[in-house]
Amino acid sequence: MNQDIQIAQDLISFIDNSPSMFQVIDNCICKLEKAGYKYLCLTEKWEIKEGGKYYTTRNESSIFAFFIGDDNLEKSGMRIISAHSDSPGFKVKPSPDMFTEDIYVKLNTEVYGGPILSTWMDRPLSVAGRVILKSENVFSPIQRKIKIDKPLLVIPNLAIHLNREVNNGIELNKQIDLLPLLSSVNEEFEKENYLLSQVAQELNVSMDQIIDFDLFLFPFEKGSLVGANSEFISCPKLDDLAMVHAGLDALIEAENTNTNNFLCIFDNEEVGSGTKQGAGSPVFKNIISRIFETLGKSNEEMQRAIYSSFMISADMAHAIHPNKSDKHDPVLKPVLNGGPVIKYHANQKYTTDAESAAVFAGLCDKINVPYQRFANRSDMQGGSTLGNVLISQIDVKSVDIGNPMLSMHSVRELSGVKDHAYIIKVFKEFFSC
């Protein structure tokens, strides 16, 4: 258990350093380059050889890392793990400063994805993402990542004395109730570009250099281990950074030099994947095509490789809730620390079928890792993920899996310490066997 706790604490640190999808990718790059992976720029000529380790990025919010093994690509295919870098929350709108009662400065934000809105209230928040600066080339502006590493914002609740029905359930208005408080001002000159001045100060640039930004709110408090035996992980963004972290560690630590291993971290899964950096775009298909062309292989050989490949679509899964067991299937009831979960859906929101489930179950059995199965109650719709979106672009065999968790899409989610160690072990076996 001590080793499992160390792994969980490494996950918490990874998430704490990844407050937006842009920092997620930066942290992946840092680990990959330490492990000998070489960057391939999409706009430059690629040179690839067997036995090489490479990665490329799209929009600086998606990353594709791969190891070309000694095995024949078209015969053995590719081992692919896919996950996503984004999390539900709040994005800052352009010209965000708003003023109330001539004293309060608020930020104008909009909801990104499907967060549990109430969980974002009354807690310290800050801002992270990327800022776009002027450059000499108008088509290639400068991009800078930013994380304001202090508690900058709070979304205040309305006191119960002014809202007596609050504990009976209320509907939060996204434009009125959920705007974060930034500051109070007394001088007129302070009321212009208040957030922008904070950003410029953080980046050590002048405000007139800033053209635009992609900024997101994030919870300032770091994750922690909880439970009588520190058996649970309480942390933001477990969906889906736990799978990103596990896939990254497995790719780096895989011992077999024969297999052809791919880790694909897409952006914008929480809003449908339909962007240039999302699983619904041809980006991964184009990367595969380019790899084969660079290696001097034909389209016929590429098609053979695709149909010899297997993908694990890795996104978190629902554990049975201790207070709401009636919301779950009466038979399939995954629990925290019970092992990774194979996800099923009759109407194909998940890519799992009997054959792909058997492959994943076989991997788990081979290394003595327990696994569980999940399906929604038949009278509930449930969610979806990126697997079935991605296979509309590249038709590989695929299974949807994830670690069990509670409070999915809350600002702070809950998963199992043992489960994270389990899934890294399975991913390593997938990349190595």
Side-chain angles (χ1 to χ4, degrees):
M1 188 67 171
N2 286 339
Q3 185 178 4
D4 293 351
I5 285 176
Q6 289 177 4
I7 293 171
Q9 288 172 335
D10 187 66
L11 167 63
I12 290 170
S13 294
F14 178 81
I15 292 175
D16 186 56
N17 292 320
S18 304
S20 82
M21 59 282 282
F22 302 105
Q23 283 81 16
V24 172
I25 301 310
D26 276 357
N27 288 323
C28 289
I29 290 171
C30 183
K31 285 195 168 191
L32 288 166
E33 291 189 343
K34 284 182 180 178
Y37 280 75
K38 178 184 176 182
Y39 175 60
L40 298 173
C41 180
L42 290 174
T43 59
E44 296 176 3
K45 184 178 180 180
W46 286 10
E47 293 183 4
I48 297 173
K49 61 182 180 180
E50 293 178 355
K53 301 176 180 179
Y54 307 96
Y55 75 90
T56 190
T57 63
R58 188 72 170 109
N59 191 53
E60 300 196 7
S61 61
S62 292
I63 191 166
F64 307 88
F66 54 95
F67 171 73
I68 305 299
D70 297 329
D71 281 353
N72 188 295
L73 252 175
E74 58 270 25
K75 185 175 292 187
S76 59
M78 298 165 283
R79 310 279 177 86
I80 305 164
I81 293 176
S82 61
H84 62 89
S85 61
D86 62 324
S87 303
F90 293 84
K91 187 176 183 183
V92 180
K93 290 182 179 179
S95 302
D97 297 344
M98 298 177 67
F99 302 94
T100 303
E101 302 302 322
D102 206 36
I103 186 69
Y104 294 129
V105 184
K106 303 185 295 186
L107 288 189
N108 194 13
T109 61
E110 59 183 319
V111 173
Y112 177 88
I116 301 176
L117 299 173
S118 62
T119 64
W120 284 78
M121 305 184 80
D122 299 323
R123 63 176 66 240
L125 307 170
S126 196
V127 170
R130 70 173 173 182
V131 179
I132 308 301
L133 306 177
K134 292 178 181 177
S135 74
E136 294 182 358
N137 183 351
V138 68
F139 291 103
S140 185
I142 297 167
Q143 300 191 33
R144 293 278 301 276
K145 312 297 170 50
I146 185 171
K147 176 189 178 185
I148 299 181
D149 201 9
K150 66 179 180 180
L152 188 68
L153 307 160
V154 66
I155 304 173
N157 246 308
L158 185 63
I160 193 170
H161 313 83
L162 306 176
N163 184 12
R164 290 293 182 182
E165 298 301 311
V166 64
N167 289 328
N168 296 326
I170 60 167
E171 182 178 353
L172 295 170
N173 184 291
K174 297 173 184 177
Q175 187 61 64
I176 297 172
D177 300 315
L178 294 165
L179 300 183
L181 177 64
L182 173 62
S183 187
S184 58
V185 293
N186 296 310
E187 301 293 336
E188 187 67 31
F189 70 86
E190 289 183 317
K191 294 184 180 180
E192 297 294 330
N193 298 316
Y194 204 88
L195 176 65
L196 223 57
S197 67
Q198 294 280 322
V199 170
Q201 182 179 348
E202 187 74 20
L203 295 178
N204 196 27
V205 299
S206 62
M207 279 197 292
D208 61 5
Q209 288 182 267
I210 299 173
I211 304 172
D212 212 332
F213 50 75
D214 291 308
L215 296 177
F216 296 83
L217 306 191
F218 72 92
F220 184 75
E221 296 167 317
K222 188 175 180 178
S224 61
L225 301 182
V226 300
N229 300 300
S230 298
E231 66 265 49
F232 305 127
I233 305 169
S234 172
C235 193
K237 302 178 183 291
L238 290 170
D239 173 22
D240 191 33
L241 298 194
M243 297 295 98
V244 172
H245 179 266
L248 186 62
D249 277 10
L251 180 71
I252 290 170
E253 296 173 12
E255 298 173 354
N256 190 345
T257 60
N258 294 322
T259 52
N260 305 294
N261 299 330
F262 288 72
L263 177 66
C264 305
I265 309 301
F266 293 94
D267 192 7
N268 302 131
E269 186 276 342
E270 297 292 355
V271 292
S273 297
T275 60
K276 64 185 181 300
Q277 59 272 4
S281 80
V283 58
F284 183 47
K285 179 173 64 176
N286 291 344
I287 288 169
I288 291 174
S289 177
R290 195 165 177 179
I291 290 169
F292 275 79
E293 184 175 347
T294 304
L295 290 172
K297 295 181 180 293
S298 67
N299 182 67
E300 167 70 19
E301 289 170 315
M302 183 179 71
Q303 296 299 323
R304 288 168 58 194
I306 289 171
Y307 290 109
S308 299
S309 298
F310 192 92
M311 180 175 73
I312 296 176
S313 171
D315 204 353
M316 298 294 276
H318 297 292
I320 189 167
H321 196 284
N323 301 328
K324 288 287 186 179
S325 60
D326 59 309
K327 295 293 185 179
H328 298 262
D329 182 85
V331 176
L332 303 172
K333 301 178 179 181
V335 297
L336 298 182
N337 291 315
V341 178
I342 304 172
K343 302 190 287 186
Y344 298 80
H345 196 279
N347 293 314
Q348 303 303 297
K349 286 193 173 182
Y350 302 133
T351 60
T352 308
D353 57 26
E355 181 185 12
S356 63
V359 171
F360 188 81
L363 287 169
C364 293
D365 287 339
K366 186 176 179 182
I367 53 175
N368 298 314
V369 167
Y371 61 90
Q372 307 176 85
R373 302 179 193 271
F374 169 84
N376 289 302
R377 279 180 59 105
S378 298
D379 54 359
M380 294 182 68
Q381 185 173 352
S384 60
T385 184
L386 56 79
N388 58 350
V389 177
L390 183 55
I391 62 172
S392 69
Q393 293 290 329
I394 175 169
D395 51 335
V396 297
K397 292 179 183 177
S398 176
V399 63
D400 268 291
I401 63 93
N403 272 348
M405 67 178 295
L406 297 172
S407 306
M408 187 180 289
H409 287 200
S410 172
V411 74
R412 200 172 177 100
E413 300 166 323
L414 192 72
S415 66
V417 167
K418 284 185 178 180
D419 289 327
H420 196 62
Y422 284 147
I423 200 64
I424 292 175
K425 191 176 179 182
V426 177
F427 286 173
K428 284 175 67 176
E429 180 65 19
F430 176 65
F431 281 147
S432 298
C433 69

